[in-house]
Amino acid sequence: MEAFTRLTSVAVPLPRPNIDTDQIIPARFLSRPREVDHGEFLFHDARRRPETGEQDPEFPLNREVFGAARIIVAGRNFACGSSRESAVWALFDAGFRCAIAPSFGDIFRTNGMKNGLLPVVLPAEAVAALTAQVEAAPEAEVTVDLRALEVTFPDGSVHGFEVDPFARHCLLEGLDEIGLTLSLEDEIAAFERRYGRENTR
């Protein structure tokens, strides 16, 4: 897993509440294995006009100014709905490493931390202020510092956030569940040797 320490990027605003995982990646794309680039399916239907199938230039992710965005500023209850890890894969493969919102779907939040995407919860008032700033100045940058547990807004204001300490450690070190186990290989080997000695007497 790719480690996350500090990220500075433009941020794309998606302030509508209750954006669910089926909007993030429609169900018909879920059979693809992880090796496939899921970024092309991100907001597949929402980005297109239903009558023509062409990309809607008004949808934020279709705007050129947000082409390099690696942060999403979302509304409350972002990524709610069904449990699908593919929603995180789609965001990650499209280049996003962080989502900032007043709240997240619980399973999405867990899946994000396990896949290198940091979900940051800030008060609704702070998220509204950040949304207004990035809408007013799309080229402005936001900094998310996982070590310091701080987000710096374009106006220079700094906002603290909280993350589960164990999940934070894994993300800072770039350790998924397998990587974490392998990092304890020496301790596991020592335990097995000790266990073997104690149970062969």
Side-chain angles (χ1 to χ4, degrees):
M1 183 174 74
E2 185 178 338
F4 186 112
T5 53
R6 190 172 188 270
L7 171 65
T8 297
S9 169
V10 298
V12 58
L14 291 173
R16 184 162 55 85
N18 302 315
I19 292 176
D20 63 32
T21 52
D22 192 58
Q23 296 171 66
I24 295 173
I25 182 168
R28 63 186 181 278
F29 299 121
L30 299 185
S31 62
R32 274 70 173 178
R34 179 64 188 103
E35 293 74 21
V36 172
D37 181 356
H38 285 65
E40 64 178 299
F41 310 126
L42 179 64
F43 288 105
H44 183 278
D45 296 346
R47 298 175 77 158
R48 289 163 174 79
R49 289 175 169 163
E51 63 276 8
T52 64
E54 296 177 350
Q55 288 202 346
D56 180 357
E58 298 303 314
F59 190 78
L61 290 181
N62 293 336
R63 294 178 58 189
E64 185 176 356
V65 69
F66 295 124
R70 304 187 73 195
I71 300 169
I72 283 181
V73 183
R76 61 177 173 81
N77 204 25
F78 181 70
C80 58
S82 64
S83 167
R84 57 184 68 174
E85 199 169 12
S86 299
V88 175
W89 298 347
L91 287 162
F92 189 92
D93 291 352
F96 291 100
R97 297 300 314 282
C98 179
I100 301 172
S103 57
F104 292 91
D106 288 340
I107 298 175
F108 173 86
R109 190 174 182 180
T110 300
N111 284 338
M113 296 294 289
K114 289 182 177 181
N115 285 275
L117 189 142
L118 174 64
V120 172
V121 174
L122 292 179
E125 298 79 8
V127 176
L130 178 56
T131 300
Q133 290 177 36
V134 299
E135 287 178 340
E139 73 287 352
E141 292 185 324
V142 178
T143 295
V144 180
D145 190 326
L146 183 56
R147 292 196 186 279
L149 293 174
E150 293 177 344
V151 180
T152 303
F153 287 11
D155 66 359
S157 61
V158 178
H159 303 259
F161 64 93
E162 297 180 358
V163 173
D164 174 78
F166 176 73
R168 175 174 175 262
H169 166 76
C170 291
L171 195 48
L172 284 170
E173 299 299 323
L175 297 172
D176 58 14
E177 291 167 329
I178 294 175
L180 178 65
T181 302
L182 292 175
S183 74
L184 301 172
E185 189 172 8
D186 291 343
E187 289 88 340
I188 293 170
F191 169 81
E192 290 177 338
R193 289 192 297 270
R194 185 173 65 254
Y195 183 85
R197 289 194 302 268
E198 293 173 351
N199 288 275
T200 54
R201 293 172 182 172

